[in-house]
Amino acid sequence: MSLEQALTADIVTAMKAKDQTKLTALRMLKTALTNKNIEKGRALDEAEELQVVSTLVKQRRDSIDQFTKGGRKDLADKEQAEIAILNSY
């Protein structure tokens, strides 16, 4: 099963479970993969898919730094939860 197929199945599961944090993270990942597919003009190989995931994780880590410096622990915790979800892929 490809990463996009697994994402679609996990999005359905998250919707049924009403897990908003997981749903948001998975939709963000699926959108990033779709945008990269369009940019490349072809289907991504596994290495390119993993690069998209790692880019999103890096963005979340940068956000955590900024939120922590700004005293927004709640937003930093949300970003940390998204990193945990993204790391599972």
Side-chain angles (χ1 to χ4, degrees), residues 2-71:
S2 75
L3 181 59
E4 287 196 51
Q5 291 170 332
L7 274 174
T8 302
D10 290 344
I11 287 172
V12 170
T13 304
M15 279 193 261
K16 287 180 181 177
K18 297 184 182 356
D19 185 350
Q20 198 60 40
T21 303
K22 188 171 187 176
L23 184 60
T24 301
L26 294 177
R27 283 181 173 165
M28 173 196 49
L29 177 56
K30 185 165 181 164
T31 301
L33 288 170
T34 302
N35 288 340
K36 195 62 140 173
N37 277 338
I38 291 169
E39 179 185 315
K40 294 278 187 180
R42 60 176 171 76
L44 300 176
D45 62 24
E46 189 175 331
E48 291 170 326
E49 290 175 339
L50 292 176
Q51 183 179 4
V52 171
V53 173
S54 63
T55 299
L56 292 175
V57 169
K58 183 181 181 307
Q59 289 172 351
R60 297 294 157 284
R61 287 196 176 117
D62 292 343
S63 295
I64 288 172
D65 267 351
Q66 295 301 315
F67 290 143
T68 303
K69 288 177 185 174

